[in-house]
Amino acid sequence: MTKLLEHAIDSVRGLPADEQDELARLLLQVAGEEQPMLRLTPEERADLAEADAEISRSEFATDEQMRLILMCAREFKPLSVC
């Protein structure tokens, strides 16, 4: 294992279990291992329905909101802590 990969794994150890699982699924998928379909909770289904409704009303994130999202993603931080 490379030092960079070891560092990445060490960095996610402090994240909540669900975030660690999501990152593990992504890593396995990149490595070529098929992952099972995720099952959405009722809350996640409701969030997706609301997102679809926002799209149909042409309600999209502002440039500033997108900058924040991308900044958090680059730093592997959830939006709640950015």
Side-chain angles (χ1 to χ4, degrees):
M1 182 180 304
T2 70
K3 289 184 188 266
L4 181 59
L5 184 54
E6 285 180 20
H7 176 68
I9 290 172
D10 287 341
S11 294
V12 301
R13 287 186 199 280
L15 295 175
D18 59 332
E19 290 180 33
Q20 289 184 31
D21 286 347
E22 181 63 24
L23 290 169
R25 283 187 202 94
L26 290 170
L27 183 57
L28 290 168
Q29 188 174 18
V30 168
E33 186 175 316
E34 289 294 319
Q35 295 298 299
M37 294 289 289
L38 294 176
R39 298 203 187 276
L40 299 178
T41 66
E43 182 180 87
E44 290 168 329
R45 282 194 184 98
D47 286 345
L48 283 176
E50 177 58 27
D52 286 341
E54 289 170 353
I55 291 168
S56 68
R57 295 188 303 263
S58 297
E59 295 176 359
F60 301 102
T62 65
D63 288 346
E64 185 57 36
Q65 290 168 324
M66 288 306 301
R67 274 191 278 283
L68 176 63
I69 290 167
L70 293 173
M71 180 186 72
C72 291
R74 284 188 202 108
E75 297 176 9
F76 295 103
K77 292 182 179 178
L79 287 174
S80 60
V81 298
C82 279

